[in-house]
Structures are given as structure tokens and as C-alpha cells.
Amino acid sequence: MKALRVDYSPNINGNISIPGSKNSSLALLAAACLSDEQVTLKGIPNIADFRVIKQMGKDVGLKIERDLLGDVHIDPSKIHSTEFDPKKSSSFRTAYYFVGALLSKFGKVKVGYPGGDDFVSRPIDQHVKAFELMGATFSYYKNYYVVEAKELIGASIYFDTITSGGTINAMLAATRAKGETVLFNAARDPEVIDTAILLNEMGAKINGAGTDTIRISGVKSLNGCTHRVIPDRLIAGSFLIAAGVVGGSVTVNNVIPEHLGSCISKLREVGLDIEINEDQITAHSTGKLKATRIRTAMYPGFATDIQQPMTTLLTQASGKSFIAEKIYPNRFNHVSELRKMGADIKIRSGVAYVKGKTPLEGAVVSTSDIRAGISLILAGMVAEGTTFITGVEHIERGYEDVVSAFHSLGVKIKKETLTYGINDNLIDDAK
């Protein structure tokens, strides 16, 4: 099996350029399908999820090509079907964006149930609510669901809970719906704003993105354009955390600092020295980490996607830290793996109690989602000995080349092939 080998790597140093946001890219690729012309997206990372979308598109006539400069060109003019392969569309979470993007143009979309990160069920009830209020109907089958609408009509939609995916999906559907749609209690994430900016560049009429009330006046057609995706704030946060875990200094370039406000505040609180420039952030280790309390929340609160790497950091802080996971209470799959490495963490009622200053030791661990994988890489960096992380495919869903990225900072990391001998002893087959 494929695995990442991570050896003890103290005092990392270096600069790293942050790629385009995975979460924003997945929404933008679907949004481009609303256009009647070619759309060019700059900065789309060449991750596993992108490659799945490209395969899905090929099946239905959606042309997606990456040129030699890395720009991605999307031509939706030859789409001949909106029945996506259930297996492919269930391999990542946000295939549901193609419902919002294609329903108004084609009247019917078939897609697999949300997949991707295996840490908790991600309900789409708020998506369903929004589409039904605009006149759509849902039919559910074993491996897929079908959404139909003869015509989408603008509506007033109040989300029962703040949902980034639901906000984006409703915004996509409303862009070419008849009349005005108003989204109340909308998510304010940078990815929501990025999607709205692209749609407006295409000719949409969207106001209020970035606030809790978004107004969309439906239009009959959309044109092509060129747009650059925002940088990935979650990847940037993980690399800043790395400096605190093992010491040293890490600079992340090509970032929007305000997107990382809550993360920066918490890192300063636990003892890191943070230096901010226009599109650059540097985290310096001070050698002293303090325990803290974290409560995840929707943007601009502390992101659930940074909770897992932060857990590893807090195993090295003095004192006992508390992490309350308020977005996905079961998002603690990484904890059992950290325990294999010696971490002292207890989970109760959606709260992790992390005892700090705990020495970690290398072990064979497994990840079931992107951010848990990063948490384990960070743990491997500070652990004595060697750590092998299986489930590499989950990390590759969100990182174009995680090995090169960490290696550039001085981390001893590489991809290897592991097998087990007749006595179930681990054998490293890499040369």
C-alpha cells in the first residue's frame, strides 16, 4: 500500500507559495457551467478532486482542459447530458454544485450522494430546502438522486443553519432563475464571495455576498470571462501551525491575511510570533506554547478544517487544551491515530481534551480525510522515530503535491510502498 513516511524533523524553515483554494475551485468549476461561453479559471490546483470533475465532465460533454500555463478552460456549450455517473460524483463532496449550475439550463440533473471526507455525514437538507422553494422536486434512489424543475422561480430562502455549500448551491440555482431570490442567514465564507465574483463577471446580478443576506436577480444568459481563484486559507493555516509544532519559521506567500484572522489570533494566543504583510504571513516559533480553548465556528470563526492540525500543535503546548467541535461534532477521526503515537486526548460530547507536553513516537497510522492527514504529518514531524501514514489518496484530494510542499520546508517526508510480512510485521519496500 502507498504511505507517507515522515521522520523527526525539528526546526523547519522556508517559504511556500499557497495554491488556489480547493473549496473555492470546486464551486467555480461548476459555476462556469452556467455560462453560454468558455470560462477560464486561473490558479485551480491539480488535485484529485479536479481530475474526477474532469472525468465527470467528459462523460456528459463538458470540456475541461488545462493549458501549459496551468490555466483551466471550461466549455459548457457541448453538454449533452446531465446524468452524472453515481460512483464518480460520490467520490467527492461537492458534486451537488452541478445541480445548482445545470438545473435551470436543462431542467433535470442526476448525481450521486455527497462523498469525500469520511468523518461525518454531510446532510444536504438545506440544499433541498432551497431548491424546493424555487420549484424543484427530488427523487431519491439507492446510489443517486434526481432533481427536476420545469422552471426555477426566485424565492425568499432562510437557512436554518449557516451552510457554505448550501449558500453557494442556492446562489448558483438562483443566478438563472426567474425573478429575485433572497438568501437569509447566508454563509459569509471567502469561497462564497469568490463564487459570487465569478458569477458577476459572467453577467449575473448578485449583491451582498460576504454578508448574511444575499440578493440575486435572475438573468437569462451568461457570458464567458477569466477569473483567478482565491488562495487556500486552510492550507496556509496548516503550514503556519507547522512552525509551532516543531519550531522554526515558516512564511506563506500568495495569501489574503484577512481570510486567516481567527487562525492568526489563536496562534498568537498559544505563543507564536506572527508577522503579516500585504500578501504574506510568517509564523516564528518562540519555543513556548500555551494551552488554549478552541470553539470551531462558521467563518469568520475558527475553521473546522484547521481544528485537526491545531490538535497536533496543542499536544506540544503546556497545560490542558479544550477543542469544542461545533460544526461537525464527530470530526475527531485523527484523535485515535494520534493516540497510537502517544497523544493523551479524550473525547466527550463533541469536545477534545488535549493534555499538552506529550512526547510522540513514530507509528503506523491511517487517515480518512484531508485535514486529518495533515494533522498526522505534523505529528510525524515532532515524533521520535518514523511515522507511516496510510490513506494517502485522501490527502491528495486537497493537496497537489504534499510531499514537495513539506519537503521544501525541511521536513523529512517521502512517499513509499508498504507491505506486511507473514508475521504481520511492517516491511518498507521503498528504495
Side-chain angles (χ1 to χ4, degrees), residues 93-100 103 114 122-134 136 138 140 145 147 157 159-161 163-173 328:
R93 174 172 51 91
T94 59
Y96 50 54
Y97 286 147
F98 286 94
V99 177
L103 190 60
R122 296 203 187 222
I124 59 170
D125 59 305
Q126 296 302 297
H127 301 242
V128 174
K129 172 181 177 176
F131 284 116
E132 288 183 339
L133 285 171
M134 284 188 273
F138 283 71
Y140 302 96
Y145 61 100
V147 190
I157 300 164
F159 291 110
D160 300 312
T161 185
T163 162
S164 178
T167 297
I168 290 174
N169 217 0
M171 194 164 61
L172 294 176
Y328 300 112

Side-chain angles (χ1 to χ4, degrees), residues 309-346:
M310 196 71 177
T311 303
T312 299
L313 176 64
L314 294 177
T315 65
Q316 304 305 300
S318 297
K320 191 171 187 177
S321 296
F322 303 85
I323 304 173
E325 178 53 77
K326 295 300 182 180
I327 306 302
Y328 300 112
N330 296 322
R331 194 176 195 177
F332 288 114
N333 283 355
H334 59 300
V335 169
S336 61
E337 304 306 299
L338 289 173
R339 285 173 179 158
K340 293 178 183 178
M341 301 176 70
D344 187 346
I345 307 172
K346 294 179 174 60

Side-chain angles (χ1 to χ4, degrees), residues 246-276:
V246 295
S249 177
V250 173
T251 297
V252 292
N253 300 306
N254 183 38
V255 293
I256 302 175
E258 51 264 40
H259 289 176
L260 286 145
S262 60
C263 178
I264 290 170
S265 294
K266 191 58 64 174
L267 290 179
R268 282 174 168 163
E269 186 178 310
V270 300
L272 273 71
D273 181 15
I274 304 294
E275 196 177 314
I276 302 174

Side-chain angles (χ1 to χ4, degrees), residues 345-380:
I345 307 172
K346 294 179 174 60
I347 305 294
R348 187 169 63 249
S349 301
V351 179
Y353 301 84
V354 185
K355 184 179 179 181
K357 284 297 181 183
T358 306
L360 301 181
E361 296 182 358
V364 180
V365 292
S366 179
T367 182
S368 58
D369 70 88
I370 301 167
R371 314 303 169 184
I374 300 306
S375 170
L376 296 174
I377 290 175
L378 298 181

Side-chain angles (χ1 to χ4, degrees), residues 26 40 52 58 84 90 102 135 153 162 223 239-240 270 281 296 304 343 370 428:
L26 301 181
T40 297
V52 172
K58 185 177 181 181
F84 292 100
S90 289
L102 296 173
I153 306 296
I162 300 174
N223 52 262
F239 282 121
L240 294 175
V270 300
I281 306 172
T296 64
T304 177
I370 301 167
D428 180 359

